[in-house]
Amino acid sequence: MVASSSSLKLQDLIQEIREAKTQAQEREVIQKECAHIRASFRDGDPLHRHRQLAKLLYVHMLGYPAHFGQMECLKLIASPRFTDKRVGYLGAMLLLDERQDAHLLITNSIKNDLSQGIQAVQGLALCTLSATGSAEMCRDLATEVEKLLLQPSAYVRKKAVLTAVHMIRKVPELSNIFLPPCAQLLHEHHHGVLLGTIMLITELCERSPAALKHFRKMVPQLVHILRTLVTTGYSTEHSISGVSDPFLQVQILRLLRILGRNHEESSETMNDLLAQVATNTDTSRNAGNAVLFETVLTIMDIRSAAGLRVLAVNILGRFLLNSDRNIRYVALTSLLRLVQSDHSAVQRHRPTVVECLREPDGSLSRRALELSLALVNSSNVRAMTQELQGFLESCPPDLQADCASGILLAAERFAPTKRWHIDTTLRVLMTAGTHVRDDAVANLTQLIGGAQELHAYSVRRLYSALAEDISQQPLVQVAAWCIGEYGDLLLEGSCEETEPLQVEEEEVLALLERVLQSHMSLPATRGYALTALMKLSTRLRGDNKAAILEKIPLVERGGSQADEEAKESKETAQLSEAAPVPTEPQASKLLDLLDLLDGPSGDAQHPPPLDPTPGGALIHLLNLPCAPPPPAPIPNLKVFEREGLQLNLSFVRPPGTRTLLLITVTATNTSGGDVTHFICQAAVPKSFQLQLQAPSGDTVPAQGGLPTTQLLRILNPKKAPLRLKLRLTYNHFGQSVQEIFEVNNLPVETWQ
Amino acid sequence: MQFMLLFSRQGKLRLQKWYVPLSDKEKKKITRELVQTVLARKPKMCSFLEWRDLKIVYKRYASLYFCCAIEDQDNELITLEIIHRYVELLDKYFGSVCELDIIFNFEKAYFILDEFLLGGEVQETSKKNVLKAIEQADLLQEKTEHVSARVSLGVRKRTRICAGVLTCIKM
């Protein structure tokens, strides 16, 4: 229903807006009303101006523009009528902020209102000043506020004190004005004024060491105030659930914390009181627990007696058992902060902490995880790891990575035996393989490699694990590596530490082949499997060498130069056939490409020649009568973009070599986070030769820092259409990323 | 406290009190994101969450979420008390308050808040004193207007969304 032509009362407007059935209808109602409001501001009855502004403020809360009301706020504030001031100041707090020019114009009005003597009006002025007062306004009005600190009315004093707090936050130099009155104000009986005073002193002390020193003298007085508060009988007016003015208690405790920090004498003065509050506060309701919590924070932060510290930690331990999960939350957070400084005290609560791992609330279980990991030490590592493994199996996915790394780290630091370490790592890989960090595989292979006595054990366990599940990549990689290294141990004899396992050569090979061909296997994993098969071909006896060689899909050289080359060429020498050199694991993404680019017939059986097809086509081209066209610059190609990381390719066909293409891959990063462990690999069709040179670095710095470059040399003897596939792996914003894609729109000039 | 927001379960803003200087655009962005985050919380989760570099304390009373942003050194548990005290004040003033009261009398909600908190800090710990101050201000307003502030509640539907808001919420 559309509004009538006359202006509405506030509540009628609200009603009408709520009755609008669509956004469009609502907009219509509001626009119409705003037109009325505008008109009324221009030449309407000043008596009703406050109603118009109130309507505008409502509309503003719904998200509609209301800037044309700013000047009205000023007019209303300047009006002598209380109703006008009330709405005007509210409008000022909602519509005006420091950034607007209009803001300063209220300074004068505020000044007048502060000194005109009606409490309610002074209150409005102080409220607005403390909510939105700019530094300039604070400077202008500081002395006015200072005067009000001595006003007879407690109502005004309490507001003046808090306004002073705001002023000091905005203009720290004003501390000079507001420090002196504090001594007097500390004698206040009015809770509100006293509370404000404590906050003021807190603010002063936090900003100035001189003030801190000055106020330390008042520690005995503060202790007295708090003690009186705590021991005085039940006062309904200020109590919550039987706890005397918890707001005031908490604030005093916080001030005591600041005063007692690093100060032996002050800490001692407050020791008894803190013990008293810690033991006598009623903990059945939140109010009491709030005070207790603040007490604990204070005890832990000052130079308190050892006994008191233990008491505090025990309170936190009790909090962990509280049925209120908010209490458990603050306990976990606090214990985490204390775990370094008071390790043994916190250790005593380890069982309860571990219980909290089972919390359904993610933010609690996360904290419990952090705390649990911090509590692992050499004496509890077995038990804790057991608990954490259990947690890993059922925890929410976003915690799995942290839990897995945490367990692995703890295992590294505190492993009682190598076998336990291997077992633990294995279990983590089996449970949460996809979430472990990149170096987990390398670490485990190193660990196993270095434990000669456990080779047989390891290979058996890994073989069994692999036979069960070939989907967890890190596990598969380690298992493949291990089988390759110690396959002979797997096949021969038995190992005391595991179940007797009779494994035949064919089974092992079949398993590795399954890995090789599984669509779940990453290129790196295939590489591991491939290498393992190769190794086995030299280690296994029997005459299935030919069969093994048949199985290996021979690939072209495509990986980055690595030290594995030497090892591999040594191994290749042992192969009687002149097979081309397969590269170390990272290069085998070519296998992917082979699947893609080969015809329907799987070409794995036919080893393609490595050397370019001799004679023929190449010479033919060179003999062409017409001169080769001058190399025109080939346009760059942007091939990849993700979250600020960009990859560009630039192409050069060096004159004189018609078959050579040089591609420079440039990685730039305009995001706010560095890209690390950046690896770019490439694959090309079989007839091409690809050489990747070492990249300029593996970190692409954020904010458009120095780009990383890498040169690819591609020989295209057959002048076949170029196809290029890229595989990127890197870490960005704490996530590991892998992208595999084919480059589209390669300019024809790159291969023609 | 940096700011306090009141919003409905549909994410409609019912009150916004900012104690830090921010542009309108920034306020809208913060409001939008925070409302989304809080509304996504499941009922059994705790009242605290970390958001940007702030601590957020929120509590739901009937159909309204009360949400405060506090700083690192502030006590979360006492903030819950602050929220509860504010709800009690509203309840006393409106007589068994419900969301509609706050919608149709939003200025009053602000006035009450401004008698309880000042500059983001608690100014008065006595419920009685806060209510007395409001009463006096209302009287002053009446005198200048010759119209009772309470009477102008006017024509509006008053549906009890939750009778006795406070009795069903246990602290």
Side-chain angles (χ1 to χ4, degrees):
Chain A
M1 208 190 79
V2 178
S4 60
S5 59
S6 66
S7 178
L8 297 162
K9 290 233 265 298
L10 170 61
Q11 293 187 335
D12 294 336
L13 172 64
I14 296 175
Q15 182 80 345
E16 202 158 309
I17 292 172
R18 287 172 62 75
E19 281 169 357
K21 292 194 181 50
T22 64
Q23 187 76 355
Q25 232 182 349
E26 178 184 285
R27 232 193 325 261
E28 209 184 311
V29 170
I30 288 176
Q31 270 169 6
K32 200 158 186 146
E33 193 55 37
C34 282
H36 282 303
I37 295 173
R38 267 194 162 101
S40 154
F41 282 164
R42 264 198 322 267
D43 36 38
D45 184 358
L47 278 179
H48 293 142
R49 193 174 278 146
H50 70 271
R51 282 207 208 126
Q52 305 300 339
L53 184 62
K55 285 190 279 185
L56 188 59
L57 293 179
Y58 182 79
V59 155
H60 174 254
M61 182 151 60
L62 294 178
Y64 293 86
H67 44 268
F68 58 89
Q70 286 170 3
M71 290 315 280
E72 297 315 303
C73 296
L74 300 184
K75 290 190 200 157
L76 285 167
I77 290 172
S79 155
R81 295 176 52 201
F82 183 68
T83 314
D84 289 347
K85 284 187 192 290
R86 225 184 177 190
V87 182
Y89 273 117
L90 179 61
M93 284 190 276
L94 290 173
L95 301 180
L96 299 176
D97 64 60
E98 298 192 357
R99 297 130 196 273
Q100 274 127 20
D101 299 324
H103 187 63
L104 282 172
L105 299 175
I106 61 174
T107 311
N108 237 15
S109 293
I110 293 183
K111 194 169 190 168
N112 291 337
D113 284 340
L114 286 179
S115 51
Q116 51 69 74
I118 301 178
Q119 279 190 145
V121 172
Q122 290 170 312
L124 292 175
L126 287 168
C127 181
T128 307
L129 185 50
S130 67
T132 64
S134 64
E136 212 177 314
M137 285 170 70
C138 291
R139 275 195 204 95
D140 284 344
L141 298 165
T143 34
E144 300 301 322
V145 172
E146 189 203 350
K147 273 190 264 175
L148 293 173
L149 292 175
L150 306 166
Q151 264 263 320
S153 153
Y155 176 81
V156 175
R157 280 204 311 281
K158 77 185 180 196
K159 291 182 193 267
V161 175
L162 282 179
T163 310
V165 171
H166 172 80
M167 288 184 155
I168 289 175
R169 287 175 179 162
K170 282 295 200 193
V171 186
E173 301 84 66
L174 292 174
S175 306
N176 301 327
I177 302 186
F178 293 116
L179 194 146
C182 288
Q184 170 89 4
L185 286 166
L186 214 47
H187 291 106
E188 281 281 347
H189 289 293
H190 187 280
H191 283 228
V193 185
L194 189 55
L195 181 57
T197 306
I198 304 285
M199 286 190 198
L200 180 57
I201 298 175
T202 307
E203 207 64 39
L204 290 165
C205 290
E206 277 177 337
R207 276 160 210 286
S208 146
L212 184 59
K213 201 161 159 211
H214 170 83
F215 284 111
R216 278 214 181 99
K217 291 183 250 143
M218 303 194 181
V219 167
Q221 194 179 353
L222 289 164
V223 166
H224 174 78
I225 294 172
L226 184 53
R227 183 170 280 131
T228 316
L229 192 58
V230 166
T231 53
T232 309
Y234 193 83
S235 144
T236 33
E237 197 180 337
H238 298 284
S239 297
I240 300 180
S241 314
V243 180
S244 306
D245 206 333
F247 301 112
L248 185 54
Q249 285 199 48
V250 163
Q251 204 57 40
I252 297 175
L253 285 162
R254 189 159 141 191
L255 177 55
L256 286 175
R257 179 154 82 244
I258 292 166
L259 295 174
R261 197 180 277 154
N262 291 326
H263 197 251
E264 209 65 58
E265 197 189 318
S266 301
S267 300
E268 229 199 277
T269 315
M270 47 180 96
N271 200 76
D272 288 347
L273 172 66
L274 292 173
Q276 189 181 357
V277 176
T279 29
N280 293 342
T281 306
D282 181 354
T283 58
S284 55
R285 305 296 223 104
N286 185 66
N289 286 321
V291 172
L292 206 53
F293 179 47
E294 197 74 33
T295 312
V296 166
L297 292 179
T298 300
I299 292 173
M300 298 317 289
D301 215 10
I302 63 172
R303 298 271 174 87
S304 37
L308 195 56
R309 290 184 87 84
V310 171
L311 175 62
V313 175
N314 288 345
I315 290 175
L316 291 177
R318 273 203 326 266
F319 272 6
L320 278 183
L321 298 165
N322 197 304
S323 52
D324 182 346
R325 72 181 66 86
N326 291 332
I327 308 278
R328 296 202 295 275
Y329 178 92
V330 299
L332 286 169
T333 318
S334 311
L335 284 170
L336 196 53
R337 274 193 286 200
L338 297 175
V339 75
Q340 304 300 337
S341 55
D342 296 77
H343 192 85
S344 43
V346 181
Q347 274 286 356
R348 263 177 240 135
H349 300 281
R350 190 167 47 84
T352 328
V353 173
V354 165
E355 270 303 307
C356 292
L357 285 172
R358 308 184 217 292
E359 291 276 358
D361 182 347
S363 39
L364 262 78
S365 56
R366 171 180 287 281
R367 289 204 152 53
L369 175 62
E370 278 176 59
L371 192 50
S372 300
L373 289 171
L375 287 175
V376 178
N377 62 27
S378 45
S379 44
N380 62 31
V381 65
R382 284 184 196 261
M384 285 300 277
T385 309
Q386 193 66 16
E387 293 284 353
L388 290 166
Q389 297 270 25
F391 179 63
L392 186 62
E393 274 153 25
S394 56
C395 73
D398 55 330
L399 288 179
Q400 276 198 326
D402 290 329
C403 189
S405 344
I407 297 175
L408 293 179
L409 207 66
E412 221 171 280
R413 287 177 68 194
F414 302 114
T417 63
K418 278 201 175 140
R419 185 175 140 181
W420 179 92
H421 194 175
I422 291 172
D423 283 341
T424 305
T425 313
L426 212 59
R427 192 170 158 192
V428 170
L429 290 183
M430 290 195 287
T431 320
T434 40
H435 295 274
V436 294
R437 279 187 1 230
D438 299 336
D439 55 0
V441 170
N443 287 345
L444 185 54
T445 54
Q446 202 171 22
L447 175 64
I448 294 175
Q452 197 181 351
E453 71 282 12
L454 292 167
H455 286 171
Y457 172 75
S458 306
V459 72
R460 286 188 140 66
R461 285 222 54 200
L462 281 163
Y463 178 79
S464 307
L466 187 62
E468 257 184 60
D469 178 7
I470 62 168
S471 66
Q472 300 265 34
Q473 298 300 291
L475 181 67
V476 173
Q477 289 175 8
V478 177
W481 172 85
C482 200
I483 293 172
E485 284 294 301
Y486 311 119
D488 46 334
L489 293 175
L490 178 62
L491 297 170
E492 88 193 12
S494 60
C495 165
E496 324 87 61
E497 283 144 331
T498 63
E499 294 285 315
L501 184 65
Q502 194 52 26
V503 183
E504 301 296 327
E505 263 178 36
E506 286 88 38
E507 290 173 319
V508 178
L509 298 176
L511 184 58
L512 286 172
E513 192 177 344
R514 256 181 69 205
V515 171
L516 205 52
Q517 293 178 348
S518 165
H519 65 277
M520 292 185 285
S521 295
L522 292 176
T525 312
R526 293 207 176 112
Y528 273 97
L530 187 61
T531 314
L533 282 168
M534 256 183 43
K535 290 178 190 170
L536 287 177
S537 76
T538 69
R539 288 170 220 252
L540 296 179
R541 277 166 281 285
D543 58 351
N544 26 19
K545 224 179 197 172
I548 293 167
L549 286 173
E550 243 187 76
K551 279 184 170 56
I552 299 173
L554 295 167
V555 301
E556 302 195 355
R557 178 160 210 76
S560 39
Q561 274 54 4
D563 4 286
E564 294 261 340
E565 263 182 66
K567 181 167 169 221
E568 265 151 304
S569 41
K570 178 187 81 160
E571 292 187 41
T572 359
Q574 292 173 358
L575 290 169
S576 49
E577 256 73 44
V581 181
T583 57
E584 81 291 354
Q586 287 122 329
S588 53
K589 69 283 171 210
L590 290 173
L591 294 167
D592 242 2
L593 200 60
L594 283 172
D595 289 342
L596 226 212
L597 296 183
D598 283 348
S601 59
D603 270 338
Q605 264 67 39
H606 304 291
L610 217 148
D611 302 322
T613 322
L618 192 59
I619 297 169
H620 180 66
L621 278 172
L622 284 177
N623 286 343
L624 280 175
C626 51
I634 309 172
N636 288 358
L637 192 63
K638 177 168 134 181
V639 298
F640 173 78
E641 164 117 55
R642 179 174 160 165
E643 295 177 301
L645 177 67
Q646 244 189 51
L647 222 66
N648 275 297
L649 301 183
S650 57
F651 308 92
V652 174
R653 299 283 297 276
T657 51
R658 296 293 301 140
T659 56
L660 180 63
L661 170 70
L662 301 174
I663 303 183
T664 306
V665 181
T666 308
T668 47
N669 179 6
T670 53
S671 77
D674 286 358
V675 165
T676 58
H677 301 93
F678 181 79
I679 297 176
C680 171
Q681 294 157 322
V684 291
K686 268 210 299 283
S687 66
F688 289 68
Q689 272 184 62
L690 170 66
Q691 216 179 53
L692 258 77
Q693 302 203 341
S696 65
D698 70 344
T699 300
V700 191
Q703 319 274 22
L706 195 67
T708 337
T709 56
Q710 190 167 16
L711 185 65
L712 278 67
R713 291 172 59 93
I714 297 183
L715 267 174
N716 181 6
K718 289 197 178 159
K719 304 284 264 163
L722 175 65
R723 288 177 69 175
L724 183 64
K725 209 169 180 192
L726 293 177
R727 174 174 182 253
L728 308 176
T729 55
Y730 57 91
N731 292 346
H732 196 195
F733 296 128
Q735 301 223 340
S736 45
V737 180
Q738 183 189 261
E739 295 267 7
I740 302 176
F741 55 92
E742 187 167 355
V743 177
N744 299 314
N745 307 316
L746 282 166
V748 289
E749 297 91 342
T750 55
W751 55 273
Q752 265 180 356
Chain B
M1 191 184 298
Q2 292 214 352
F3 57 84
M4 182 191 285
L5 303 174
L6 264 66
F7 51 90
S8 70
R9 275 195 295 160
Q10 287 76 41
K12 288 223 126 138
L13 201 59
R14 299 301 180 204
L15 185 143
Q16 48 172 337
K17 190 76 191 180
W18 299 86
Y19 296 109
V20 286
L22 289 165
S23 72
D24 230 20
K25 195 165 147 200
E26 285 166 317
K27 287 179 192 169
K28 283 202 168 117
K29 181 159 189 260
I30 290 174
T31 306
R32 196 174 46 237
E33 281 177 28
L34 192 52
V35 167
Q36 230 174 19
T37 309
V38 172
L39 288 176
R41 301 274 287 180
K42 302 194 197 66
K44 289 283 186 200
M45 294 176 96
C46 69
S47 295
F48 312 129
L49 61 104
E50 265 146 36
W51 185 79
R52 300 197 183 181
D53 58 344
L54 293 170
K55 297 202 280 198
I56 304 295
V57 179
Y58 73 94
K59 201 161 165 93
R60 188 176 140 202
Y61 288 84
S63 59
L64 266 184
Y65 282 88
F66 288 70
C67 183
C68 299
I70 59 175
E71 283 157 0
D72 207 41
Q73 66 274 25
D74 293 327
N75 181 328
E76 290 97 325
L77 299 179
I78 207 72
T79 309
L80 279 175
E81 291 299 326
I82 291 177
I83 292 176
H84 193 74
R85 174 56 63 88
Y86 181 44
V87 174
E88 281 179 325
L89 292 166
L90 291 169
D91 193 64
K92 212 45 194 278
Y93 182 81
F94 287 109
S96 237
V97 68
C98 58
E99 189 186 345
L100 277 181
D101 290 314
I102 297 179
I103 294 170
F104 281 94
N105 300 280
F106 71 96
E107 346 81 272
K108 295 287 164 53
Y110 277 107
F111 297 152
I112 294 169
L113 185 60
D114 287 342
E115 288 299 333
F116 176 43
L117 302 180
L118 199 88
E121 308 290 349
V122 175
Q123 68 179 280
E124 180 58 71
T125 58
S126 154
K127 238 190 302 191
K128 192 175 81 183
N129 286 351
V130 174
L131 294 165
K132 201 160 60 173
I134 294 286
E135 207 180 292
Q136 283 175 348
D138 284 348
L139 274 164
L140 194 52
Q141 186 166 341
E142 269 180 50
K143 272 204 290 197
T144 57
E145 272 187 26
H146 305 291
V147 175
S148 165
R150 297 285 170 84
V151 166
S152 70
L153 288 172
V155 189
R156 68 165 176 80
K157 288 192 276 282
R158 192 189 174 108
T159 36
R160 286 287 159 86
I161 290 172
C162 172
V165 166
L166 297 172
T167 51
C168 44
I169 310 295
K170 292 281 183 288
M171 288 296 283

